[in-house]
Amino acid sequence: MANDAQEPADGRPVRLDPMIEFAEQELFEMVRATGFRGPAWDVLADRLVRYGLVVLTAWLRSGHIFAETNALGRELCPSVHERELVAVRLSEDLANDSVSAALASFRRKALAGNGWSKDGGASLSAYFIRACLYAFIDAFRKYRRTGELSDICTGTDPISSGDYRESASGPDFAESVVNRAVLYTYLARLSERDRNMVWGKAAGYTAAEIAGLFGWPSAKAVERRWARLRLEYAWINRLAGKEQ
């Protein structure tokens, strides 16, 4: 089987400011000239790793990561239990493993002369995120093979049991809803688009960051939907009150 982590595709680019993309191109050319080593490479590698960890961690904890891998034609078909483990227990490990593997692949391909190109149709950051996605696919499959996605017990699964009853309102509820495992249970009722947005709000991302991470048309669109959801769901309104 081919190593998916070595086969990044263009896919849907992560939107960046044109000036940032230009700066990336300049930095990449500088690093190419030094043979992808030394201080210039350290700067580029640090930027890619930081960006990759921010994006992948957000996607892992919200569950959006599986929509992204599906879009690449790699349907992992995670169970409810696996989704919860990825979101709650393994997000940090999977993000670190995936970004590390993607960086190694990025450098290897660049040295071979068949890596990223400014004429390839994707920004450097978008290209690297695709590499991270393929690395995540490999890591997820490895975790399955080694049993790391089944050996960790998270207790009764409220999602599969269909128990969506809300707790009583008040301080106890406000405290429990910020717990990621409890929050995941409530998020499961929402559409994927709304779930990503609400998770982003709970995690402290700005409306602009949520729009960029999850493909919303604008920060204003995020805020408008957030306001409507607060009116529709009492638990979301209490969660918003907890954040303020």
Side-chain angles (χ1 to χ4, degrees):
M1 179 183 298
N3 185 347
D4 286 335
Q6 299 180 21
E7 300 298 335
D10 289 344
R12 177 175 58 79
V14 178
R15 294 172 296 177
L16 291 177
D17 185 281
M19 291 302 296
I20 296 178
E21 293 188 9
F22 178 77
E24 284 184 340
Q25 294 174 13
E26 293 295 303
L27 180 57
F28 183 81
E29 293 303 324
M30 184 185 304
V31 172
R32 189 206 302 273
T34 59
F36 295 93
R37 62 173 64 90
W41 165 247
D42 292 341
V43 171
L44 178 60
D46 181 70
R47 168 171 167 68
L48 291 174
V49 166
R50 288 175 182 272
Y51 185 67
L53 287 174
V54 167
V55 174
L56 246 66
T57 300
W59 286 354
L60 285 161
R61 291 180 176 171
S62 72
H64 182 71
I65 190 81
F66 297 108
E68 293 290 336
T69 56
N70 287 350
L72 295 178
R74 302 293 198 277
E75 296 189 12
L76 297 172
C77 301
S79 67
V80 171
H81 180 69
E82 288 175 333
R83 281 179 175 271
E84 185 176 354
L85 286 176
V86 168
V88 178
R89 298 286 189 89
L90 298 175
S91 58
E92 184 175 342
D93 290 343
L94 281 167
N96 288 333
D97 290 354
S98 301
V99 172
S100 296
L103 184 66
S105 173
F106 176 89
R107 185 173 185 273
R108 183 169 57 251
K109 283 179 169 291
L111 286 170
N114 57 4
W116 178 78
S117 167
K118 64 181 180 181
D119 300 320
S123 70
L124 180 61
S125 294
Y127 177 91
F128 185 69
I129 291 301
R130 294 299 168 270
C132 290
L133 284 171
Y134 281 107
F136 163 74
I137 293 167
D138 284 346
F140 183 86
R141 290 171 174 166
K142 177 183 176 182
Y143 278 38
R144 265 183 174 166
R145 290 194 302 271
T146 59
E148 290 179 79
L149 284 172
S150 58
D151 290 346
I152 303 175
C153 178
T154 58
T156 302
D157 187 347
I159 298 174
S160 60
S161 66
D163 184 4
Y164 296 126
R165 291 170 294 179
E166 296 187 11
S167 304
S169 60
D172 290 342
F173 176 86
E175 289 295 329
S176 66
V177 78
V178 297
N179 177 277
R180 282 181 299 181
V182 175
L183 179 59
Y184 185 84
T185 303
Y186 287 93
L187 290 174
R189 286 177 291 176
L190 304 177
S191 68
E192 181 181 335
R193 193 163 183 261
D194 286 344
R195 182 167 63 245
N196 292 334
M197 186 266 288
V198 174
W199 179 88
K201 282 284 189 178
Y205 287 94
T206 66
E209 290 169 334
I210 291 169
L213 285 168
F214 301 116
W216 286 75
S218 67
K220 287 185 178 179
V222 171
E223 292 294 1
R224 285 195 297 268
R225 183 58 181 161
W226 175 243
R228 286 196 292 270
L229 287 175
R230 288 186 61 178
L231 293 174
E232 185 176 352
Y233 293 99
W235 67 270
I236 291 179
N237 194 46
R238 289 193 287 270
L239 174 62
K242 176 63 179 177
E243 292 181 309
Q244 294 171 351

